[in-house]
């Protein structure tokens, strides 16, 4: 249905979508899970947003709204909260290069700097339990533990925006 068909972008988003649908339900004999982080990279106005729109409609029509996470996050703790549910989650982020720039900036706040390490830990903890961060005031700020977390991410960006947002060590 796209005016500018982008089959590669559609497949990348479909992989993340199906990963979220199957999350916490299937695994390989070697305990591999369906956590996928995919990127759609293309020039401005090339149609990167079409698959995101179509997935949102599909989710609504299929009645599986619970797999959708917000389109932006503020901290590692926010990601932990999202990934702590009973179902896999799909986070679709437009302009993810700007997001990466913000969370990797030397001026980023501590809660912003925790986003990338948290995404990495969730990805590598898919087949186990991930014990969350302990806080000084454990009554006010409860630790979030994740059992077999499933978070799938599909982000879109222009090449310049994406590649200028981080250095090779961060890749």
């Amino acid at each position: 249905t796209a005016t500018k068909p982008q089959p590669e972008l559609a497949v990348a988003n479909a992989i993340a979508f199906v990963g979220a649908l199957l999350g916490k339900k299937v695994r390989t004999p070697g305990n591999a899970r369906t956590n996928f982080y995919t990127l759609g990279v293309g020039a401005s106005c090339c149609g990167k947003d079409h698959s995101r729109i179509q997935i949102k409609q599909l989710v609504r029509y299929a009645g599986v709204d619970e797999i959708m996470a917000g389109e932006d996050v503020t901290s590692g703790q926010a990601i932990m909260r999202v990934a702590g549910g009973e179902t896999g989650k799909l986070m679709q982020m437009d302009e993810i290069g700007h997001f990466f720039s913000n969370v990797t900036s030397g001026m980023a706040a501590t809660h912003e700097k925790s986003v990338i390490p948290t995404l990495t830990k969730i990805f590598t903890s898919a087949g186990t339990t991930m014990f969350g961060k302990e806080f000084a005031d454990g009554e006010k700020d409860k630790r979030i533990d994740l059992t077999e977390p499933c978070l799938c991410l599909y982000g879109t960006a222009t090449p310049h925006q994406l590649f200028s947002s981080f250095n090779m060590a961060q890749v």
Side-chain angles (χ1 to χ4, degrees):
T1 59
T3 56
K4 297 178 182 180
Q6 297 286 352
E8 298 87 357
L9 302 182
V11 167
N13 199 358
I15 288 169
F17 169 64
V18 171
L21 277 177
L22 298 177
K24 300 191 177 198
K25 296 176 187 151
V26 300
R27 63 180 175 188
T28 69
N31 207 27
R33 304 303 175 110
T34 62
N35 293 19
F36 298 106
Y37 296 170
T38 60
L39 293 173
V41 183
S44 292
C45 300
C46 78
K48 294 185 298 295
D49 62 336
H50 186 73
S51 72
R52 282 194 328 275
I53 293 166
Q54 296 305 307
I55 293 290
K56 288 177 192 178
Q57 287 182 338
L58 182 59
V59 163
R60 187 176 66 238
Y61 294 146
V64 291
D65 294 2
E66 70 276 2
I67 74 162
M68 294 304 291
E71 296 183 22
D72 201 358
V73 292
T74 56
S75 66
Q77 276 302 101
I79 293 170
M80 293 287 289
R81 185 187 55 74
V82 166
E86 294 297 315
T87 64
K89 295 290 184 188
L90 172 62
M91 182 177 294
Q92 297 185 112
M93 296 180 76
D94 192 17
E95 308 294 345
I96 199 164
H98 291 305
F99 173 78
F100 286 146
S101 290
N102 291 340
V103 300
T104 60
S105 163
M107 296 178 58
T110 303
H111 66 276
E112 292 171 317
K113 289 180 181 181
S114 70
V115 169
I116 301 297
T118 302
L119 284 171
T120 304
K121 290 174 190 173
I122 287 173
F123 187 85
T124 60
S125 298
T128 188
T129 298
M130 179 180 166
F131 295 102
K133 185 182 292 190
E134 294 287 355
F135 295 93
D137 186 349
E139 292 299 316
K140 181 180 139 215
D141 296 312
K142 301 264 187 232
R143 183 179 83 192
I144 299 172
D145 297 336
L146 305 178
T147 304
E148 299 176 348
C150 180
L151 178 65
C152 297
L153 171 68
Y154 176 67
T156 57
T158 63
H160 175 73
Q161 176 196 73
L162 180 66
F163 298 121
S164 66
S165 66
F166 45 72
N167 61 45
M168 290 309 293
Q170 293 164 328
V171 171

